[in-house]
Amino acid sequence: MDKVAGAIADPVRRRILELLRERRLTAGRIAEHFEISRPAVSRHLRVLRESGLVHDTLVGRERRYELDATRFDELNRWLSQFAQPERWERRFDALETEVHRTRRERRTGRSPNHREERTA
């Protein structure tokens, strides 16, 4: 997980992963998307390979790179402990309640500050 987290810490490597999400590419094709040198792109690809996020295959004289998204699984599991969907659900429930209350007030012509007097 640490190697994956370290690999995706760099914006160039994140962009490379985005490019490889669609299809396999050669280092040359990847380098065309950046204003950095090809050796710099190669160093980024090496980091991605060492983390396991990218695999390369030799096809003739070309080395093609492809994404291995399964390497994100452990990091995703760890990150998910910090996600709090129930917190958002409560907020959406409260918003829904407020919307219904406002609509009801508009239909009945009552203002939010209007209080009915309850007498026996």
Side-chain angles (χ1 to χ4, degrees), residues 4-79:
V4 170
I8 63 173
D10 185 277
V12 171
R13 291 192 288 265
R14 289 194 303 269
R15 179 67 182 126
I16 291 171
L17 292 172
E18 291 169 359
L19 293 169
L20 294 174
R21 181 180 55 202
E22 303 298 323
R23 62 187 177 284
R24 296 185 317 167
L25 294 170
T26 64
R29 292 281 182 193
I30 293 168
E32 290 173 359
H33 293 270
F34 299 96
E35 294 183 13
I36 59 176
S37 68
R38 285 183 182 229
V41 170
S42 292
R43 286 191 292 275
H44 285 294
L45 286 167
R46 185 180 66 232
V47 171
L48 292 170
R49 271 195 326 272
E50 289 173 355
S51 72
L53 286 168
V54 168
H55 297 287
D56 61 329
T57 307
L58 195 58
V59 179
R61 291 182 14 200
E62 292 183 331
R63 187 170 300 277
R64 295 193 181 154
Y65 294 88
E66 65 182 305
L67 174 66
D68 181 0
T70 63
R71 296 289 294 148
F72 288 114
D73 292 347
E74 185 181 358
L75 182 59
N76 281 332
R77 280 191 300 276
W78 185 79
L79 288 171

Side-chain angles (χ1 to χ4, degrees), residues 92-103:
F92 286 133
D93 287 344
L95 177 62
E96 183 180 28
T97 300
E98 187 63 24
V99 167
H100 287 296
R101 185 184 64 75
T102 302
R103 285 181 180 164

